[in-house]
Amino acid sequence: MGKEIMIRDLTFSYGGNGNQLEHISLDIAAGEVIVMTGPSGSGKSSLTRVINGLIPYFYEGELSGEVFVDGKPLKEIPSWERGKIAGNVFQDPRSQFFANEVAGEIAFGCENYGYSHEDIQNHVHRAAADIKIQDILDHSLRSLSYGMRQKVAIASAEAIDPEIYVMDEPSANLDIASTYRFADIIRALKQQGKTIIIAEHRLYYLMDLADRFLCVQKGKIVREFTAQQMKALSNEEIRVLGLRTPDLHQIEQAEIPSAATSEVVLEVKKLNHSFGETIVAKDVNFQCRKGEVVALIGPNGTGKSTIGRILAGLLKEKSGEVVLFGKHCRSKGRLGKVWYIPQDLDSQLFGEDLLDELTTGAEVSPERKKAAEEILEALELMPFVKQHPSTLSGGQKQRLALGVALMHEAPIIILDEPTSGLDGMNMRNVSRMIRKLAKMGRTIIVITHDAECALACCERAIRLENGCITDDFQIRGAEPLLDKIGYDKKEG
Amino acid sequence: MMTGEKKQRRIDRIDGRTVLLLTLCACIVTFITTSFWGHGIFTFWIFLILCWFGLYKQALGCFVVYLVAIVWLMIETKYQISIPSPLLLSMIYKLLLPAMPAYLLAKIPSGKLTASLRKMPIPTRIMLVLIVMLRFAPTVLHEFGEVREAMKIRGFLKSVGNVLRHPMDTLEYAIVPMVFRSLKMADELAASAIVRGIESPYKKESYYVSRIAALDYFLIVVSVGAAVCCCLL
Amino acid sequence: MEQTVKKKIGVRDIMTIAAMMVINFAIAMVIGTVTLPFPAVYLYGSAGIDAFIGATFYLVAANRINKHGLLFAWATVYGLIQGVMGYMFLVPYFLIVALIAELCMVGKNTYRSAVRNRIGWMVNSIGNFVGCAVPLWWSWDSYQEMAASSGFDANTLNMQFSMVTSPALMLLGIAITAVLAILGTLFGQRLLRKHFQKAGIVG
């Protein structure tokens, strides 16, 4: 059986920088599934970290109040023992793994807790069988898809038989199909009676799983909903709370007039590319017009990012042709004209403050400085201009990356999963900025499996599977798009 | 059926310490032997071992480079050519030998390597740094690629001239995002390791068997024997 | 009130060191391959260039962790990796280098002092330079022997040989390494101020 958790008057701050958590009291019953949601930086991650003991042991700061697990104060349990009570799944499937291969990763916890060799093997094989990954035990983790890696993460947590599971944005990097499979695993854990705490922005996959939804804002639990109440929230209420939509079917498509003109700026003809045996693009043909916002959708690992990088001139196509403004353009010539913004922005930012980020790399003339300031103004980044780019939030970084593209006057911009890991408010903000850029005459391709984002800013969708275009359609209403992205119809 | 019964890859059957010893033998041979034949024979032995572990391509690649370096060196000394530098060639062939078992070392599952290393007299912290470095190496290479792409898009790498005119700026552009990204990953990995009890004081066993078995004895005896013979040649 | 108190090098510090060292090694490897075809540069310059670039990563780790034993761990790991890469017999030597470098950092809060870090890093770099030169002489020996036996012109050979091993040139190499190590810490301090301290990820 799962264990109950009792939190009393919990307050935490990271070294005097204002309170992350303020006087939180919360009771979680054994076997309950709790979802904590709310804007980025609201404190929901901090709350998970208190429960798994990372606060204050790892994330330093001042903590007051008490947490009890099964009536026992958490304080009295040494930090290294806490991992036996709570199993953890984190957001980024690239950085939570310690071993290089699946078996070693699942075994990691058992090894640390002094299990004998036989016990370790038994636990690993049982956990792997539960999650149905027993046939990939000797695979390298790097060769797995993000969906598979999250399964390994769960198996690794399950191997030590914790009664509590703590998950911090586990679906942020998963496509819709993987997310549903992930939900099935959580369902199985729930049936075993485990207590599960999930901090998450995406709610749709948890609607029939969670017992309670807690809405966290500025370190406080401000609202509490049942799944029924959550579903009954109006779009307006969801927007005010800054959440993502619990039921994607209720999303209304943004009613913004298309900024597309009739001028074709990008034309892809018979594009082919492969990595070894794997075909990532097969006779891909499409056109984009000036001011158009196109969503590039399809399951993970089907070549969307590769096509984006080919268009941007970062990869050379094996065969085929890319035509920019009516002229054939080789990969070198596309650099800087087709601007690719990858998902992970930490490797993209070079400046010491926002202004420097836009102007660095060339002489800073008064005109360029003025242009940069105007761009920051347009992207609503002026209040942060003195900050170091790396201190921005995910949504702000995304906007800054758009700003860099504007500064370099790139006519075509490709964004790769710009809204993964963003809360509802930031997602809508980034989407709004994308529309704004389209209105400024930019052509924008958004690689995404985020239906909310696609509906908020894209007018057309191209669906890719195994390197082939399977669909190319104007987005009219949510249903056809959700269907093509793979959103489950049985809900709603 | 459980996977335990599944056919094991050969590399899973060898102990990490054996490979370390192989590396040590290779070092000794490369630095002590003065005869080409001795050096060559031992290299061939390592080549065979790599092949046996299924690393045909890498083994063959190394061996070909090795042979080319030696043959070229002989030609150079015979005809008194000094371009490319004979020092370079002799370094290639001397250092390639220990690099081959070192490569095998990197191919062992990290959990298994940890288990083997734990039985050696290395302080835990130092050992952890080594293991984590192995874990980070591929990630860092990947990140390098990403940063390079970002620099390309921004036009920082537009031309050789551009880079040479601002070498310090270029270096800064390369280093800064790497550091930010790596520190973030280091923190996340540390958090993930801590919540799974890496700091627990228990005596640790492993998922992998860490036992010197018949295969290990065979490799050790033959390798040490070969090393001694090759040095005496 | 629960508060975080830590003195010894912990898991997070280990990860930081590992991450910084991996980048350092990756860069050192690139430099090694680029300079390898030019033995003189490789011998006298590569350790220095390595020291120059590595300084930034070392400074990030030092300022972030600020605990004793860091430089020792850094130099030891460096030595052990050199050991696995082929210089196994040099491991004790590198341990001594690590010890001396760590001794340069005795005192309170020295890992956040620019001057002390500069000294410690310079000592470590010089140690690495001397250590890496040894195996070169080794491979040179075998060539020399072979060259002499195949009737290579003695004068050419001697000239090449003295280029590699003369004590004066060794001193020059040490000087180059020291200067580059110092320049590296200056560059690193600039990046610290400009980026890492500003962003709040190092102390």
Side-chain angles (χ1 to χ4, degrees):
Chain A
M1 241 346 245
K3 289 186 173 159
E4 58 174 30
I5 301 169
M6 209 160 71
I7 298 171
R8 287 289 169 271
D9 198 25
L10 198 72
T11 298
F12 175 73
S13 68
Y14 289 107
N17 285 340
N19 285 347
Q20 272 291 309
L21 297 173
E22 274 187 48
H23 305 291
I24 288 200
S25 291
L26 172 68
D27 287 308
I28 300 171
E32 216 179 353
V33 177
I34 297 279
V35 175
M36 292 188 285
T37 187
S40 301
S42 61
K44 58 186 190 318
S45 291
S46 298
L47 202 50
T48 65
R49 288 170 185 165
V50 173
I51 295 170
N52 64 24
L54 283 174
I55 286 178
Y57 180 71
F58 183 77
Y59 297 99
E60 306 177 16
E62 288 182 13
L63 178 75
S64 65
E66 293 262 19
V67 180
F68 301 91
V69 174
D70 243 10
K72 199 177 167 199
L74 197 60
K75 254 184 223 173
E76 291 174 10
I77 306 168
S79 59
W80 61 78
E81 286 277 284
R82 292 181 191 176
K84 274 182 165 174
I85 301 166
N88 289 271
V89 178
F90 296 97
Q91 173 184 356
D92 193 337
R94 285 168 304 178
S95 59
Q96 59 178 303
F97 294 128
F98 194 84
N100 289 332
E101 74 301 325
V102 176
E105 183 59 33
I106 302 177
F108 185 71
C110 304
E111 292 178 355
N112 288 330
Y113 285 120
Y115 291 27
S116 72
H117 169 67
E118 287 73 29
D119 279 352
I120 294 173
Q121 290 219 317
N122 289 339
H123 278 252
V124 169
H125 293 153
R126 201 211 50 220
D130 275 356
I131 312 288
K132 300 191 181 64
I133 51 173
Q134 61 270 52
D135 46 348
I136 58 161
L137 278 178
D138 56 358
H139 284 39
S140 144
L141 278 160
R142 256 174 305 125
S143 66
L144 302 181
S145 68
Y146 283 173
M148 281 311 252
R149 291 192 215 184
Q150 280 309 47
K151 282 188 176 183
V152 175
I154 291 201
S156 179
E158 200 186 335
I160 30 180
D161 280 327
E163 296 303 326
I164 299 168
Y165 285 81
V166 180
M167 308 187 182
D168 195 355
E169 291 184 39
S171 80
N173 290 295
L174 305 185
D175 61 12
I176 291 204
S178 313
T179 307
Y180 279 124
R181 282 196 290 273
F182 189 75
D184 289 338
I185 297 175
I186 298 178
R187 191 168 295 118
L189 291 175
K190 187 184 181 184
Q191 274 158 10
Q192 291 167 34
K194 308 288 184 190
T195 309
I196 303 170
I197 298 146
I198 308 170
E200 185 63 285
H201 293 306
R202 298 185 182 193
L203 302 173
Y204 64 89
Y205 75 101
L206 297 164
M207 291 318 289
D208 62 338
L209 272 171
D211 297 302
R212 277 191 286 162
F213 291 83
L214 306 178
C215 192
V216 184
Q217 272 179 7
K218 296 194 177 132
K220 291 182 179 142
I221 298 173
V222 290
R223 302 279 291 272
E224 191 180 316
F225 304 104
T226 63
Q228 284 309 320
Q229 291 167 327
M230 194 83 209
K231 276 186 195 163
L233 287 179
S234 71
N235 284 337
E236 183 56 27
E237 282 172 295
I238 289 162
R239 231 196 46 234
V240 171
L241 286 168
L243 302 181
R244 278 173 174 267
T245 314
D247 177 6
L248 298 186
H249 292 284
Q250 82 184 69
I251 312 175
E252 290 154 17
Q253 192 187 1
E255 301 246 348
I256 309 161
S258 163
T261 60
S262 57
E263 185 192 349
V264 172
V265 291
L266 169 72
E267 199 177 353
V268 179
K269 292 179 186 165
K270 288 205 163 237
L271 191 76
N272 281 290
H273 198 79
S274 57
F275 295 118
E277 303 276 288
T278 324
I279 293 166
V280 284
K282 196 175 165 199
D283 285 339
V284 171
N285 295 297
F286 65 89
Q287 293 186 340
C288 295
R289 290 169 301 150
K290 188 178 175 187
E292 204 174 19
V293 186
V294 182
L296 195 56
I297 58 173
N300 275 359
T302 53
K304 296 182 306 240
S305 299
T306 308
I307 288 184
R309 290 167 65 234
I310 291 175
L311 293 182
L314 293 169
L315 279 174
K316 234 179 129 181
E317 62 275 12
K318 288 261 156 75
S319 70
E321 198 183 357
V322 179
V323 181
L324 291 184
F325 301 99
K327 274 191 231 120
H328 170 78
C329 199
R330 285 150 52 116
S331 67
K332 270 239 164 95
R334 300 199 291 268
L335 265 179
K337 287 202 186 93
V338 182
W339 196 273
Y340 176 74
I341 303 176
Q343 180 178 359
D344 187 15
L345 295 176
D346 287 327
S347 52
Q348 309 294 308
L349 301 176
F350 302 97
E352 57 178 312
D353 55 41
L354 304 200
L355 209 54
D356 185 46
E357 186 62 54
L358 294 198
T359 52
T360 192
E363 208 73 34
V364 185
S365 58
E367 295 86 62
R368 285 190 75 220
K369 191 164 175 253
K370 193 158 164 284
E373 280 169 349
E374 276 168 16
I375 289 170
L376 289 178
E377 195 66 59
L379 294 168
E380 296 161 23
L381 286 167
M382 252 345 221
F384 320 102
V385 68
K386 287 270 173 270
Q387 272 178 250
H388 193 277
S390 72
T391 59
L392 296 180
S393 76
Q396 291 164 347
K397 273 185 196 162
Q398 202 60 249
R399 269 143 58 196
L400 181 61
L402 282 174
V404 176
L406 281 181
M407 190 71 197
H408 285 78
E409 291 167 350
I412 301 164
I413 303 171
I414 302 174
L415 293 107
D416 201 341
E417 299 294 352
T419 55
S420 78
L422 295 193
D423 59 39
M425 195 181 70
N426 277 305
M427 184 270 298
R428 285 184 265 276
N429 253 337
V430 168
S431 302
R432 198 159 49 83
M433 290 306 151
I434 292 175
R435 299 286 338 172
K436 204 166 177 176
L437 259 57
K439 230 184 268 168
M440 291 159 78
R442 301 300 195 275
T443 302
I444 298 173
I445 299 175
V446 186
I447 299 172
T448 191
H449 44 68
D450 185 345
E452 275 190 277
C453 163
L455 284 168
C457 66
C458 303
E459 53 201 85
R460 181 177 143 209
I462 296 175
R463 183 174 182 279
L464 216 64
E465 190 165 352
N466 300 328
C468 299
I469 291 184
T470 57
D471 300 272
D472 187 341
F473 57 99
Q474 295 296 319
I475 301 174
R476 298 221 167 77
E479 292 307 320
L481 181 77
L482 290 174
D483 185 43
K484 292 293 178 204
I485 282 190
Y487 183 67
D488 207 337
K489 258 182 275 192
K490 71 174 191 265
E491 323 251 337
Chain B
M1 272 278 97
M2 291 286 177
T3 6
E5 262 89 343
K6 226 182 76 178
K7 191 173 83 66
Q8 270 189 321
R9 289 174 307 164
R10 282 177 170 160
I11 196 147
D12 289 335
R13 275 163 47 199
I14 192 169
D15 193 283
R17 285 166 291 175
T18 312
V19 185
L20 265 180
L21 191 85
L22 276 185
T23 318
L24 183 65
C25 285
C27 291
I28 292 174
V29 169
T30 215
F31 286 117
I32 291 186
T33 180
T34 46
S35 117
F36 277 114
W37 283 112
H39 200 268
I41 289 168
F42 198 80
T43 310
F44 186 66
W45 166 239
I46 300 284
F47 164 76
L48 287 182
I49 293 179
L50 284 189
C51 287
W52 192 73
F53 282 111
L55 306 164
Y56 306 106
K57 256 194 228 156
Q58 296 85 341
L60 202 66
C62 284
F63 203 59
V64 167
V65 172
Y66 178 84
L67 287 180
V68 168
I70 283 203
V71 170
W72 203 323
L73 190 64
M74 286 178 168
I75 296 174
E76 279 196 1
T77 39
K78 191 156 183 208
Y79 299 102
Q80 310 201 356
I81 312 166
S82 51
I83 295 168
S85 157
L87 183 61
L88 166 69
L89 292 173
S90 41
M91 275 185 51
I92 289 179
Y93 96 84
K94 284 271 177 187
L95 291 184
L96 206 57
L97 173 55
M100 285 162 75
Y103 178 74
L104 189 61
L105 204 59
K107 276 282 166 191
I108 296 179
S110 62
K112 189 175 172 66
L113 195 61
T114 321
S116 304
L117 287 176
R118 259 193 215 125
K119 301 202 169 167
M120 294 188 47
I122 303 177
T124 331
R125 296 208 170 89
I126 300 286
M127 194 188 77
L128 259 182
V129 177
L130 285 172
I131 292 165
V132 177
M133 281 181 76
L134 273 181
R135 157 70 176 76
F136 268 132
T139 323
V140 162
L141 286 180
H142 177 81
E143 296 294 328
F144 255 125
E146 301 237 309
V147 172
R148 221 186 58 141
E149 283 193 347
M151 289 169 76
K152 260 166 94 177
I153 297 178
R154 293 273 190 114
F156 296 155
L157 303 174
K158 224 175 344 197
S159 63
V160 179
N162 196 31
V163 173
L164 288 181
R165 258 199 314 280
H166 314 280
M168 288 301 113
D169 286 347
T170 310
L171 198 60
E172 182 178 333
Y173 294 141
I175 288 178
V176 170
M178 280 307 293
V179 169
F180 275 113
R181 182 78 196 123
S182 312
L183 285 184
K184 189 168 163 226
M185 299 215 12
D187 271 4
E188 286 175 5
L189 186 60
S192 155
I194 286 174
V195 295
R196 286 184 293 160
I198 194 169
E199 294 180 307
S200 83
Y202 298 103
K203 189 179 174 323
K204 287 160 188 170
E205 290 198 26
S206 171
Y207 170 80
Y208 299 96
V209 201
S210 178
R211 205 174 34 222
I212 309 272
L215 168 67
D216 297 284
Y217 279 119
F218 171 74
L219 283 178
I220 290 170
V221 169
V222 177
S223 301
V224 171
V228 172
C229 294
C230 292
C231 289
L232 293 178
L233 260 176
Chain C
M1 186 151 316
E2 272 187 276
Q3 268 208 356
T4 337
V5 194
K6 279 186 274 183
K7 287 245 161 57
K8 279 166 94 180
I9 289 196
V11 172
R12 182 190 216 170
D13 308 327
I14 286 172
M15 303 285 173
T16 302
I17 296 175
M20 291 299 107
M21 286 204 76
V22 168
I23 311 181
N24 189 3
F25 255 97
I27 294 182
M29 225 106 108
V30 173
I31 292 170
T33 10
V34 173
T35 51
L36 200 59
F38 315 100
V41 180
Y42 181 81
L43 188 52
Y44 297 112
S46 73
I49 300 172
D50 189 15
F52 178 81
I53 292 173
T56 305
F57 303 113
Y58 164 71
L59 285 175
V60 169
N63 280 274
R64 187 166 212 241
I65 294 169
N66 190 23
K67 286 175 194 160
H68 282 292
L70 168 70
L71 190 51
F72 180 77
W74 187 289
T76 307
V77 169
Y78 187 90
L80 283 176
I81 292 177
Q82 296 288 341
V84 174
M85 300 289 261
Y87 309 145
M88 200 71 99
F89 53 90
L90 279 178
V91 169
Y93 167 81
F94 278 114
L95 281 178
I96 295 168
V97 171
L99 206 61
I100 298 174
E102 182 62 45
L103 282 177
C104 297
M105 304 301 290
V106 169
K108 207 169 168 242
N109 254 351
T110 47
Y111 278 101
R112 293 229 167 113
S113 142
V115 178
R116 295 297 287 275
N117 273 329
R118 193 163 302 148
I119 296 169
W121 183 249
M122 193 181 79
V123 169
N124 176 47
S125 303
I126 292 173
N128 291 344
F129 165 71
V130 175
C132 291
V134 177
L136 267 164
W137 295 327
W138 236 295
S139 47
W140 189 261
D141 271 354
S142 71
Y143 164 69
Q144 200 192 9
E145 199 169 300
M146 185 171 65
S149 63
S150 63
F152 215 83
D153 178 47
N155 280 333
T156 329
L157 195 65
N158 279 338
M159 200 185 74
Q160 282 184 346
F161 187 63
S162 68
M163 226 177 83
V164 182
T165 52
S166 99
L169 280 167
M170 260 329 262
L171 281 178
L172 178 73
I174 290 178
I176 292 174
T177 310
V179 168
L180 281 173
I182 290 171
L183 288 177
T185 53
L186 290 173
F187 178 67
Q189 287 291 350
R190 200 177 78 97
L191 290 193
L192 272 187
R193 267 197 315 277
K194 193 172 163 190
H195 293 282
F196 309 126
Q197 280 166 347
K198 187 173 179 198
I201 58 163
V202 305

